Amino acid sequence: MIKTDKNWHDKHSETLTFGSRVADKVATGMGSWRFIIIQTIIVIIWMALNFIAFISHWDPYPFILLNLLFSTQAAYAAPIIMMAQNRQNERDRIQAQADYQTNIDAKLEIEALTLKLNELEVEKLDKIITMLEEMKK
């Protein structure tokens, strides 16, 4: 069985709490066109039903209840989205550190290969010089 090391994303995902996962899902959902379209449809239906309701207006113009719902949604959405953004910043820092370490490792490996190639080239040149000297004799 082949054992593979976990990458930085897997390690980070394992450290997330339930609240962090929920905040990420909420931020992802609220930052989508699907959410905007559904919310727009609900607002249009809300306003239309209140305009055409002849007997009972549960939220007459200027739609104070609808404004209260939007204010409540914004009051909760803003901190949740900020939590998700903070975690994204942390993920970016972790990824940048992982990329930096990969670059350092690659640089060291390239330097070692360059030294080895130079060594091989010197050996070849020495052999060629030796062969040429022998041919002269």
Side-chain angles (χ1 to χ4, degrees), residues 72-129:
T72 304
Q73 177 187 9
Y76 284 99
I80 290 171
I81 291 169
M82 288 175 68
M83 286 187 286
Q85 286 176 335
N86 288 341
R87 268 188 305 289
Q88 181 61 47
N89 289 339
E90 181 63 24
R91 281 191 294 266
D92 290 345
R93 278 191 291 279
I94 292 169
Q95 182 179 11
Q97 183 61 39
D99 289 347
Y100 176 74
Q101 189 59 49
T102 300
N103 290 341
I104 294 293
D105 294 344
K107 178 185 175 202
L108 293 174
E109 193 169 329
I110 289 169
E111 287 174 352
L113 287 171
T114 303
L115 289 173
K116 184 66 176 173
L117 286 173
N118 287 340
E119 188 179 299
L120 289 172
E121 192 167 324
V122 167
E123 285 178 21
K124 283 182 184 179
L125 287 173
D126 286 344
K127 285 181 182 179
I128 291 172
I129 291 171

Coordinates of all heavy atoms in Angstrom, one line a residue, residues 72-129:
T72 N -31.9 42.3 9.0 CA -31.5 41.1 9.8 C -30.5 40.2 9.1 O -29.5 39.7 9.6 CB -32.7 40.3 10.3 OG1 -33.6 41.2 11.0 CG2 -32.4 39.2 11.2
Q73 N -30.9 40.0 7.8 CA -30.0 39.1 6.9 C -28.6 39.8 6.8 O -27.6 39.1 6.9 CB -30.7 39.0 5.6 CG -29.8 38.2 4.6 CD -30.4 38.3 3.2 OE1 -31.3 39.0 2.9 NE2 -29.8 37.4 2.3
A74 N -28.6 41.1 6.6 CA -27.3 41.7 6.5 C -26.5 41.7 7.8 O -25.3 41.5 7.8 CB -27.5 43.2 6.0
A75 N -27.2 41.8 8.9 CA -26.5 41.8 10.2 C -25.8 40.5 10.5 O -24.8 40.4 11.1 CB -27.5 42.1 11.3
Y76 N -26.4 39.4 10.0 CA -25.8 38.1 10.2 C -24.9 37.7 9.0 O -23.9 37.0 9.2 CB -26.9 37.0 10.3 CG -27.5 37.0 11.7 CD1 -28.7 37.6 11.9 CD2 -26.9 36.4 12.8 CE1 -29.3 37.6 13.2 CE2 -27.5 36.4 14.0 CZ -28.7 37.0 14.2 OH -29.2 37.1 15.4
A77 N -25.2 38.1 7.8 CA -24.4 37.7 6.7 C -23.0 38.4 6.7 O -22.0 37.7 6.4 CB -25.1 38.1 5.4
A78 N -22.9 39.6 7.1 CA -21.6 40.3 7.0 C -20.6 39.7 7.9 O -19.5 39.4 7.4 CB -21.8 41.8 7.4
P79 N -20.9 39.4 9.2 CA -19.8 38.7 10.0 C -19.5 37.3 9.5 O -18.3 36.9 9.6 CB -20.4 38.7 11.4 CG -21.6 39.5 11.4 CD -22.0 39.8 10.0
I80 N -20.5 36.6 9.0 CA -20.2 35.2 8.5 C -19.3 35.3 7.3 O -18.4 34.5 7.2 CB -21.6 34.5 8.2 CG1 -22.3 34.2 9.5 CG2 -21.3 33.2 7.4 CD1 -23.7 33.7 9.3
I81 N -19.6 36.2 6.4 CA -18.8 36.3 5.2 C -17.4 36.8 5.6 O -16.4 36.3 5.0 CB -19.4 37.3 4.2 CG1 -20.7 36.7 3.6 CG2 -18.5 37.7 3.1 CD1 -21.6 37.6 2.8
M82 N -17.3 37.7 6.6 CA -15.9 38.1 7.0 C -15.2 37.0 7.6 O -13.9 36.8 7.4 CB -16.1 39.3 8.0 CG -16.5 40.6 7.3 SD -16.8 41.9 8.5 CE -15.2 42.2 9.1
M83 N -15.8 36.1 8.4 CA -15.2 34.9 8.9 C -14.6 34.0 7.8 O -13.5 33.5 7.9 CB -16.1 34.1 9.8 CG -16.4 34.7 11.1 SD -17.4 33.6 12.2 CE -19.0 33.7 11.5
A84 N -15.4 33.8 6.8 CA -15.0 33.0 5.6 C -13.8 33.7 4.9 O -12.9 33.0 4.5 CB -16.2 32.8 4.6
Q85 N -13.9 35.0 4.8 CA -12.7 35.7 4.1 C -11.5 35.6 5.0 O -10.4 35.4 4.4 CB -13.1 37.2 3.9 CG -14.1 37.4 2.8 CD -14.5 38.9 2.7 OE1 -14.4 39.6 3.7 NE2 -14.9 39.3 1.5
N86 N -11.6 35.7 6.3 CA -10.4 35.5 7.1 C -9.8 34.1 7.0 O -8.6 33.9 6.9 CB -10.8 35.7 8.6 CG -11.0 37.2 8.9 OD1 -10.6 38.1 8.2 ND2 -11.7 37.4 10.0
R87 N -10.7 33.1 6.9 CA -10.2 31.7 6.6 C -9.5 31.6 5.3 O -8.5 30.9 5.1 CB -11.3 30.7 6.8 CG -11.3 30.2 8.2 CD -12.3 29.0 8.3 NE -13.6 29.3 7.9 CZ -14.5 30.1 8.5 NH1 -14.1 30.7 9.6 NH2 -15.7 30.4 8.1
Q88 N -10.1 32.3 4.3 CA -9.5 32.3 2.9 C -8.1 32.9 3.0 O -7.2 32.4 2.3 CB -10.4 33.0 1.9 CG -9.8 33.0 0.5 CD -9.7 31.6 -0.1 OE1 -10.6 30.8 0.0 NE2 -8.6 31.3 -0.6
N89 N -8.0 34.0 3.7 CA -6.7 34.6 3.9 C -5.7 33.7 4.5 O -4.5 33.6 4.1 CB -6.8 35.9 4.7 CG -7.4 37.0 4.0 OD1 -7.5 37.0 2.8 ND2 -8.0 38.0 4.7
E90 N -6.1 32.9 5.5 CA -5.3 31.9 6.2 C -4.9 30.8 5.2 O -3.7 30.4 5.2 CB -6.0 31.4 7.4 CG -5.2 30.3 8.2 CD -3.9 30.9 8.8 OE1 -3.8 32.1 9.0 OE2 -3.0 30.1 9.0
R91 N -5.9 30.4 4.4 CA -5.6 29.3 3.4 C -4.5 29.9 2.4 O -3.6 29.1 2.0 CB -6.9 28.9 2.7 CG -7.7 28.0 3.4 CD -8.8 27.4 2.5 NE -9.8 28.4 2.1 CZ -10.9 28.6 2.8 NH1 -11.2 28.0 3.9 NH2 -11.8 29.5 2.3
D92 N -4.7 31.1 2.0 CA -3.7 31.7 1.1 C -2.3 31.8 1.6 O -1.4 31.5 1.0 CB -4.2 33.1 0.6 CG -5.4 33.1 -0.2 OD1 -5.8 32.0 -0.8 OD2 -6.1 34.2 -0.4
R93 N -2.3 32.1 2.9 CA -0.9 32.2 3.6 C -0.3 30.8 3.7 O 0.9 30.6 3.4 CB -1.1 32.7 5.0 CG -1.1 34.2 5.1 CD -0.9 34.8 6.5 NE -2.1 34.5 7.3 CZ -3.2 35.2 7.4 NH1 -3.3 36.2 6.6 NH2 -4.2 34.9 8.2
I94 N -1.1 29.8 4.0 CA -0.6 28.4 4.1 C -0.2 27.9 2.7 O 0.9 27.3 2.6 CB -1.7 27.5 4.7 CG1 -2.0 27.8 6.1 CG2 -1.3 26.0 4.5 CD1 -3.2 27.1 6.7
Q95 N -1.0 28.2 1.7 CA -0.6 27.8 0.3 C 0.7 28.5 -0.1 O 1.6 27.9 -0.7 CB -1.7 28.1 -0.7 CG -1.4 27.7 -2.1 CD -2.5 27.9 -3.1 OE1 -3.5 28.6 -2.8 NE2 -2.4 27.4 -4.3
A96 N 0.8 29.8 0.2 CA 2.0 30.6 -0.2 C 3.2 30.0 0.5 O 4.3 29.8 -0.1 CB 1.9 32.0 0.2
Q97 N 3.1 29.6 1.8 CA 4.2 29.0 2.5 C 4.5 27.6 1.9 O 5.7 27.3 1.7 CB 3.8 28.8 4.0 CG 5.0 28.2 4.8 CD 6.2 29.1 4.8 OE1 6.1 30.3 4.9 NE2 7.4 28.4 4.8
A98 N 3.5 26.8 1.5 CA 3.8 25.5 0.9 C 4.5 25.7 -0.5 O 5.4 25.0 -0.8 CB 2.5 24.8 0.7
D99 N 4.0 26.7 -1.2 CA 4.7 27.0 -2.5 C 6.1 27.5 -2.3 O 7.0 27.1 -3.1 CB 3.9 28.1 -3.3 CG 2.5 27.6 -3.8 OD1 2.3 26.4 -3.8 OD2 1.7 28.5 -4.2
Y100 N 6.3 28.3 -1.3 CA 7.7 28.8 -1.0 C 8.6 27.6 -0.7 O 9.7 27.5 -1.2 CB 7.6 29.8 0.1 CG 9.0 30.2 0.5 CD1 9.7 31.1 -0.2 CD2 9.6 29.8 1.7 CE1 11.0 31.5 0.2 CE2 10.8 30.2 2.1 CZ 11.5 31.1 1.3 OH 12.8 31.5 1.7
Q101 N 8.1 26.7 0.1 CA 8.9 25.5 0.5 C 9.2 24.6 -0.7 O 10.3 24.1 -0.9 CB 8.2 24.7 1.6 CG 9.1 23.6 2.2 CD 10.4 24.2 2.8 OE1 10.4 25.1 3.6 NE2 11.5 23.6 2.4
T102 N 8.2 24.5 -1.6 CA 8.4 23.7 -2.8 C 9.4 24.3 -3.7 O 10.3 23.6 -4.2 CB 7.1 23.6 -3.6 OG1 6.1 22.9 -2.7 CG2 7.2 22.8 -4.9
N103 N 9.4 25.6 -3.8 CA 10.4 26.4 -4.6 C 11.8 26.2 -4.0 O 12.8 26.0 -4.7 CB 10.1 27.8 -4.7 CG 8.8 28.1 -5.6 OD1 8.5 27.2 -6.4 ND2 8.2 29.2 -5.4
I104 N 11.9 26.3 -2.7 CA 13.2 26.1 -2.0 C 13.8 24.7 -2.3 O 14.9 24.5 -2.6 CB 13.1 26.3 -0.5 CG1 12.8 27.8 -0.2 CG2 14.4 25.9 0.2 CD1 13.9 28.8 -0.6
D105 N 12.9 23.7 -2.1 CA 13.3 22.3 -2.3 C 13.7 22.1 -3.8 O 14.7 21.4 -4.1 CB 12.2 21.3 -2.0 CG 11.8 21.3 -0.5 OD1 12.7 21.8 0.3 OD2 10.7 20.8 -0.1
A106 N 12.9 22.7 -4.7 CA 13.3 22.6 -6.1 C 14.6 23.2 -6.5 O 15.4 22.7 -7.2 CB 12.2 23.2 -7.0
K107 N 14.8 24.4 -5.9 CA 16.1 25.1 -6.1 C 17.3 24.3 -5.6 O 18.3 24.2 -6.3 CB 16.1 26.5 -5.3 CG 17.3 27.3 -5.5 CD 17.3 28.5 -4.6 CE 18.6 29.2 -4.7 NZ 18.9 30.1 -3.6
L108 N 17.2 23.7 -4.4 CA 18.2 22.9 -3.9 C 18.5 21.7 -4.8 O 19.6 21.3 -5.0 CB 17.9 22.4 -2.5 CG 17.9 23.5 -1.4 CD1 17.4 23.0 -0.1 CD2 19.3 24.2 -1.3
E109 N 17.4 21.1 -5.3 CA 17.6 19.9 -6.2 C 18.2 20.3 -7.5 O 19.1 19.6 -8.0 CB 16.2 19.3 -6.4 CG 16.3 17.9 -7.0 CD 14.9 17.2 -7.0 OE1 14.1 17.4 -6.1 OE2 14.7 16.4 -8.0
I110 N 17.8 21.4 -8.0 CA 18.4 21.9 -9.3 C 19.9 22.2 -9.1 O 20.7 21.9 -10.0 CB 17.6 23.2 -9.8 CG1 16.2 22.7 -10.3 CG2 18.4 23.9 -10.9 CD1 15.3 23.9 -10.6
E111 N 20.2 22.8 -8.0 CA 21.6 23.1 -7.7 C 22.4 21.8 -7.6 O 23.5 21.8 -8.1 CB 21.8 23.9 -6.4 CG 21.3 25.4 -6.6 CD 21.3 26.2 -5.2 OE1 21.5 25.5 -4.2 OE2 21.1 27.4 -5.3
A112 N 21.9 20.8 -6.9 CA 22.6 19.5 -6.8 C 22.7 18.9 -8.2 O 23.8 18.4 -8.5 CB 21.8 18.6 -5.9
L113 N 21.7 18.9 -9.0 CA 21.8 18.4 -10.4 C 22.8 19.1 -11.2 O 23.6 18.5 -12.0 CB 20.4 18.4 -11.0 CG 19.4 17.4 -10.5 CD1 18.0 17.7 -11.1 CD2 19.9 16.0 -10.8
T114 N 22.8 20.5 -11.1 CA 23.8 21.3 -11.8 C 25.2 20.9 -11.4 O 26.1 20.8 -12.3 CB 23.5 22.8 -11.5 OG1 22.2 23.1 -11.9 CG2 24.5 23.6 -12.3
L115 N 25.5 20.7 -10.1 CA 26.8 20.3 -9.7 C 27.2 19.0 -10.2 O 28.3 18.8 -10.7 CB 26.9 20.3 -8.1 CG 26.8 21.7 -7.4 CD1 26.7 21.5 -5.9 CD2 28.1 22.5 -7.8
K116 N 26.2 18.1 -10.2 CA 26.5 16.7 -10.7 C 26.8 16.8 -12.2 O 27.7 16.1 -12.7 CB 25.3 15.8 -10.4 CG 25.5 14.4 -10.8 CD 26.6 13.7 -10.0 CE 26.7 12.3 -10.4 NZ 27.8 11.6 -9.7
L117 N 26.0 17.6 -13.0 CA 26.2 17.7 -14.4 C 27.6 18.3 -14.7 O 28.3 17.9 -15.6 CB 25.1 18.5 -15.1 CG 23.8 17.8 -15.2 CD1 22.7 18.8 -15.7 CD2 23.9 16.6 -16.2
N118 N 28.0 19.3 -13.9 CA 29.3 19.9 -14.1 C 30.4 18.9 -13.8 O 31.4 18.9 -14.5 CB 29.4 21.2 -13.1 CG 28.6 22.3 -13.6 OD1 28.3 22.4 -14.8 ND2 28.4 23.3 -12.7
E119 N 30.2 18.1 -12.8 CA 31.2 17.1 -12.4 C 31.3 16.1 -13.6 O 32.4 15.7 -13.9 CB 30.7 16.4 -11.1 CG 31.6 15.5 -10.5 CD 31.1 14.9 -9.2 OE1 30.8 15.6 -8.3 OE2 30.9 13.6 -9.2
L120 N 30.2 15.7 -14.1 CA 30.2 14.7 -15.2 C 30.9 15.4 -16.4 O 31.7 14.7 -17.1 CB 28.8 14.3 -15.6 CG 28.1 13.3 -14.6 CD1 26.7 13.1 -15.0 CD2 28.8 12.0 -14.5
E121 N 30.6 16.6 -16.7 CA 31.2 17.3 -17.8 C 32.7 17.4 -17.7 O 33.5 17.2 -18.6 CB 30.6 18.7 -18.0 CG 31.0 19.3 -19.3 CD 30.1 20.5 -19.6 OE1 28.9 20.5 -19.3 OE2 30.6 21.5 -20.2
V122 N 33.2 17.7 -16.4 CA 34.6 17.8 -16.2 C 35.3 16.5 -16.4 O 36.3 16.3 -17.0 CB 34.9 18.4 -14.7 CG1 36.3 18.2 -14.3 CG2 34.5 19.8 -14.6
E123 N 34.6 15.4 -15.9 CA 35.1 14.0 -16.1 C 35.3 13.7 -17.6 O 36.3 13.2 -18.1 CB 34.2 13.0 -15.4 CG 34.4 12.9 -13.9 CD 33.4 11.9 -13.3 OE1 33.0 11.0 -14.1 OE2 33.1 12.1 -12.1
K124 N 34.2 14.1 -18.4 CA 34.3 13.8 -19.8 C 35.4 14.6 -20.5 O 36.1 14.1 -21.3 CB 32.9 14.2 -20.5 CG 31.8 13.2 -20.2 CD 30.6 13.7 -21.0 CE 29.4 12.7 -20.7 NZ 28.2 13.2 -21.4
L125 N 35.5 15.9 -20.1 CA 36.6 16.7 -20.7 C 38.0 16.1 -20.3 O 38.9 16.1 -21.2 CB 36.5 18.1 -20.2 CG 35.3 18.9 -20.9 CD1 35.2 20.3 -20.2 CD2 35.5 19.1 -22.4
D126 N 38.1 15.7 -19.1 CA 39.4 15.1 -18.7 C 39.7 13.8 -19.5 O 40.8 13.6 -20.0 CB 39.4 14.7 -17.2 CG 39.5 15.9 -16.3 OD1 39.9 17.0 -16.8 OD2 39.2 15.8 -15.1
K127 N 38.6 13.0 -19.8 CA 38.8 11.8 -20.6 C 39.2 12.2 -22.0 O 40.1 11.6 -22.6 CB 37.6 10.9 -20.6 CG 37.4 10.2 -19.3 CD 36.1 9.3 -19.4 CE 35.9 8.6 -18.0 NZ 34.6 7.8 -18.1
I128 N 38.5 13.2 -22.5 CA 38.8 13.6 -23.9 C 40.2 14.1 -24.0 O 41.0 13.8 -24.9 CB 37.8 14.7 -24.4 CG1 36.4 14.1 -24.5 CG2 38.3 15.4 -25.7 CD1 35.3 15.1 -24.8
I129 N 40.6 14.9 -23.0 CA 42.0 15.5 -23.0 C 43.0 14.3 -22.9 O 44.0 14.3 -23.6 CB 42.2 16.5 -21.9 CG1 41.4 17.8 -22.2 CG2 43.7 16.8 -21.7 CD1 41.3 18.7 -21.0

